[in-house]
Amino acid sequence: MLDRAGLLDLFDQLGMAHATLDHPAVFRVGEGAEIKARIPGAHTKNLFLKDARGDLWLVCARDDTAIDLKRLHGAIGSARLSFGAADLMEAALGVTPGSVTLFALVNDPLHRVRLVLDLALAQADQVSFHPLENTATTTVDQGSLRRFLDHLGREPLLVDFARLALCPLPAR
């Protein structure tokens, strides 16, 4: 499993533009407003979920997006969703609670975890995620994010959370 240094090395190998800011640990979306003020781009919240069939899901959305877990399963075609256990998240993505991030998909080569991406993030010029630990935030542009997902062979389910509907991925 990759750690932060390995992830940032991969970004360099892929030619991804990225900037990382170290900061005190942040565990919840509502924390760290003063940190976010210094970081460009759309800020994110990331939910590690398990459905009633045992399938694993990673929902990545703008930090101000309302996510209705009671209705989301209908939009994405999953069984009923609930939060995944910390030990399962660590086994599947190599991260601990508070550090879950889209970038953790690098540690899931078997694609056990399905990615649900907020339309607002797919449309943002820049997005910011933890680099596998919650003591830093890494910002990448949309082209770099797509390059990363392509490298991993990941096609996200794109959801417009305002309408709770699937959408096609915007053109590059």
Side-chain angles (χ1 to χ4, degrees):
M1 295 224 176
L2 288 184
D3 60 7
R4 173 184 168 175
L7 177 71
L8 297 180
D9 285 346
L10 175 62
F11 289 174
D12 291 340
Q13 292 169 24
L14 295 175
M16 293 172 54
H18 60 93
T20 300
L21 175 71
D22 291 301
H23 53 71
V26 176
F27 291 92
R28 291 181 303 281
V29 172
E31 295 178 3
E34 69 285 348
I35 296 167
K36 289 178 184 177
R38 300 188 337 239
I39 300 172
H43 299 285
T44 59
K45 63 178 161 188
N46 303 274
L47 308 176
F48 177 72
L49 306 171
K50 181 179 177 182
D51 73 17
R53 292 187 298 245
D55 294 330
L56 304 178
W57 300 84
L58 178 62
V59 176
C60 300
R62 277 186 69 105
D63 63 347
D64 58 357
T65 299
I67 299 173
D68 184 348
L69 289 183
K70 291 180 182 176
R71 294 181 46 223
L72 179 59
H73 72 280
I76 64 173
S78 72
R80 293 262 181 201
L81 295 160
S82 60
F83 288 96
D87 60 337
L88 181 58
M89 178 174 53
E90 192 164 0
L93 295 174
V95 294
T96 58
S99 298
V100 68
T101 169
L102 180 144
F103 296 148
L105 291 172
V106 73
N107 290 327
D108 179 29
L110 300 179
H111 295 201
R112 289 182 52 209
V113 181
R114 303 247 346 243
L115 174 61
V116 176
L117 186 64
D118 184 358
L119 175 64
L121 289 183
Q123 293 174 333
D125 292 334
Q126 294 181 308
V127 294
S128 298
F129 295 96
H130 291 310
L132 307 179
E133 57 187 49
N134 65 352
T135 57
T137 299
T138 299
T139 302
V140 298
D141 62 29
Q142 195 60 230
S144 293
L145 179 63
R146 301 266 182 104
R147 189 172 307 123
F148 176 72
L149 292 174
D150 287 348
H151 172 76
L152 298 180
R154 298 294 186 133
E155 183 74 25
L157 289 176
L158 194 64
V159 173
D160 178 348
F161 282 97
R163 297 182 311 126
L164 203 57
L166 288 178
C167 307
L169 205 57
R172 294 179 194 212

